[in-house]
PDB file of all heavy atoms in Angstrom:
ATOM      1  N   TYR C 111      -3.928 -39.270 -19.441  1.00 95.00           N
ATOM      2  CA  TYR C 111      -4.495 -40.276 -20.352  1.00 95.00           C
ATOM      3  C   TYR C 111      -4.865 -39.641 -21.698  1.00 95.00           C
ATOM      4  O   TYR C 111      -4.673 -40.251 -22.752  1.00 95.00           O
ATOM      5  CB  TYR C 111      -5.736 -40.904 -19.722  1.00 95.00           C
ATOM      6  CG  TYR C 111      -6.350 -41.992 -20.562  1.00 95.00           C
ATOM      7  CD1 TYR C 111      -5.810 -43.273 -20.593  1.00 95.00           C
ATOM      8  CD2 TYR C 111      -7.493 -41.740 -21.336  1.00 95.00           C
ATOM      9  CE1 TYR C 111      -6.374 -44.275 -21.378  1.00 95.00           C
ATOM     10  CE2 TYR C 111      -8.061 -42.734 -22.116  1.00 95.00           C
ATOM     11  CZ  TYR C 111      -7.502 -44.002 -22.134  1.00 95.00           C
ATOM     12  OH  TYR C 111      -8.056 -44.986 -22.916  1.00 95.00           O
ATOM     13  N   SER C 112      -5.377 -38.396 -21.649  1.00 95.00           N
ATOM     14  CA  SER C 112      -5.820 -37.729 -22.883  1.00 95.00           C
ATOM     15  C   SER C 112      -5.002 -36.487 -23.205  1.00 95.00           C
ATOM     16  O   SER C 112      -5.481 -35.568 -23.855  1.00 95.00           O
ATOM     17  CB  SER C 112      -7.303 -37.360 -22.768  1.00 95.00           C
ATOM     18  OG  SER C 112      -8.091 -38.507 -22.581  1.00 95.00           O
ATOM     19  N   GLY C 113      -3.767 -36.454 -22.725  1.00 95.00           N
ATOM     20  CA  GLY C 113      -2.908 -35.312 -23.017  1.00 95.00           C
ATOM     21  C   GLY C 113      -2.438 -34.591 -21.763  1.00 95.00           C
ATOM     22  O   GLY C 113      -2.538 -35.120 -20.656  1.00 95.00           O
ATOM     23  N   GLU C 114      -1.936 -33.399 -21.958  1.00 97.00           N
ATOM     24  CA  GLU C 114      -1.379 -32.639 -20.848  1.00 97.00           C
ATOM     25  C   GLU C 114      -2.466 -32.203 -19.861  1.00 97.00           C
ATOM     26  O   GLU C 114      -3.593 -31.902 -20.252  1.00 97.00           O
ATOM     27  CB  GLU C 114      -0.661 -31.389 -21.368  1.00 97.00           C
ATOM     28  CG  GLU C 114       0.602 -31.690 -22.172  1.00 97.00           C
ATOM     29  CD  GLU C 114       1.342 -30.422 -22.570  1.00 97.00           C
ATOM     30  OE1 GLU C 114       0.734 -29.325 -22.490  1.00 97.00           O
ATOM     31  OE2 GLU C 114       2.513 -30.518 -22.960  1.00 97.00           O
ATOM     32  N   ILE C 115      -2.077 -32.186 -18.587  1.00 97.00           N
ATOM     33  CA  ILE C 115      -2.937 -31.693 -17.515  1.00 97.00           C
ATOM     34  C   ILE C 115      -2.244 -30.479 -16.904  1.00 97.00           C
ATOM     35  O   ILE C 115      -1.098 -30.576 -16.462  1.00 97.00           O
ATOM     36  CB  ILE C 115      -3.169 -32.763 -16.444  1.00 97.00           C
ATOM     37  CG1 ILE C 115      -3.820 -34.012 -17.062  1.00 97.00           C
ATOM     38  CG2 ILE C 115      -4.026 -32.220 -15.312  1.00 97.00           C
ATOM     39  CD1 ILE C 115      -3.852 -35.210 -16.138  1.00 97.00           C
ATOM     40  N   GLN C 116      -2.910 -29.339 -16.912  1.00 98.00           N
ATOM     41  CA  GLN C 116      -2.315 -28.112 -16.397  1.00 98.00           C
ATOM     42  C   GLN C 116      -2.690 -27.948 -14.921  1.00 98.00           C
ATOM     43  O   GLN C 116      -3.868 -28.065 -14.558  1.00 98.00           O
ATOM     44  CB  GLN C 116      -2.787 -26.900 -17.198  1.00 98.00           C
ATOM     45  CG  GLN C 116      -2.551 -27.014 -18.699  1.00 98.00           C
ATOM     46  CD  GLN C 116      -1.099 -27.234 -19.063  1.00 98.00           C
ATOM     47  OE1 GLN C 116      -0.192 -26.799 -18.346  1.00 98.00           O
ATOM     48  NE2 GLN C 116      -0.853 -27.915 -20.166  1.00 98.00           N
ATOM     49  N   LEU C 117      -1.681 -27.659 -14.107  1.00 98.00           N
ATOM     50  CA  LEU C 117      -1.864 -27.598 -12.660  1.00 98.00           C
ATOM     51  C   LEU C 117      -1.407 -26.260 -12.086  1.00 98.00           C
ATOM     52  O   LEU C 117      -0.597 -25.557 -12.703  1.00 98.00           O
ATOM     53  CB  LEU C 117      -1.062 -28.714 -11.978  1.00 98.00           C
ATOM     54  CG  LEU C 117      -1.278 -30.148 -12.435  1.00 98.00           C
ATOM     55  CD1 LEU C 117      -0.178 -31.041 -11.884  1.00 98.00           C
ATOM     56  CD2 LEU C 117      -2.641 -30.633 -11.982  1.00 98.00           C
ATOM     57  N   LEU C 118      -1.896 -25.966 -10.900  1.00 98.00           N
ATOM     58  CA  LEU C 118      -1.346 -24.893 -10.077  1.00 98.00           C
ATOM     59  C   LEU C 118      -1.013 -25.540  -8.734  1.00 98.00           C
ATOM     60  O   LEU C 118      -1.894 -26.115  -8.080  1.00 98.00           O
ATOM     61  CB  LEU C 118      -2.344 -23.760  -9.895  1.00 98.00           C
ATOM     62  CG  LEU C 118      -1.815 -22.537  -9.144  1.00 98.00           C
ATOM     63  CD1 LEU C 118      -0.766 -21.805  -9.982  1.00 98.00           C
ATOM     64  CD2 LEU C 118      -2.957 -21.578  -8.790  1.00 98.00           C
ATOM     65  N   VAL C 119       0.251 -25.486  -8.352  1.00 98.00           N
ATOM     66  CA  VAL C 119       0.721 -26.149  -7.140  1.00 98.00           C
ATOM     67  C   VAL C 119       1.218 -25.099  -6.152  1.00 98.00           C
ATOM     68  O   VAL C 119       2.004 -24.217  -6.514  1.00 98.00           O
ATOM     69  CB  VAL C 119       1.860 -27.143  -7.464  1.00 98.00           C
ATOM     70  CG1 VAL C 119       2.367 -27.807  -6.180  1.00 98.00           C
ATOM     71  CG2 VAL C 119       1.386 -28.196  -8.458  1.00 98.00           C
ATOM     72  N   GLY C 120       0.767 -25.205  -4.909  1.00 98.00           N
ATOM     73  CA  GLY C 120       1.259 -24.337  -3.851  1.00 98.00           C
ATOM     74  C   GLY C 120       2.131 -25.129  -2.902  1.00 98.00           C
ATOM     75  O   GLY C 120       1.731 -26.202  -2.435  1.00 98.00           O
ATOM     76  N   ALA C 121       3.341 -24.634  -2.637  1.00 98.00           N
ATOM     77  CA  ALA C 121       4.269 -25.363  -1.768  1.00 98.00           C
ATOM     78  C   ALA C 121       5.257 -24.393  -1.132  1.00 98.00           C
ATOM     79  O   ALA C 121       5.503 -23.304  -1.661  1.00 98.00           O
ATOM     80  CB  ALA C 121       5.030 -26.415  -2.575  1.00 98.00           C
ATOM     81  N   ASN C 122       5.808 -24.808   0.003  1.00 98.00           N
ATOM     82  CA  ASN C 122       6.874 -24.014   0.601  1.00 98.00           C
ATOM     83  C   ASN C 122       8.228 -24.557   0.137  1.00 98.00           C
ATOM     84  O   ASN C 122       8.297 -25.432  -0.718  1.00 98.00           O
ATOM     85  CB  ASN C 122       6.758 -23.962   2.128  1.00 98.00           C
ATOM     86  CG  ASN C 122       7.006 -25.315   2.800  1.00 98.00           C
ATOM     87  OD1 ASN C 122       7.504 -26.266   2.195  1.00 98.00           O
ATOM     88  ND2 ASN C 122       6.665 -25.391   4.074  1.00 98.00           N
TER      89      ASN C 122
END
Side-chain angles (χ1 to χ4, degrees):
Y111 183 79
S112 300
E114 293 185 344
I115 301 169
Q116 305 302 331
L117 306 167
L118 185 69
V119 179
N122 67 13

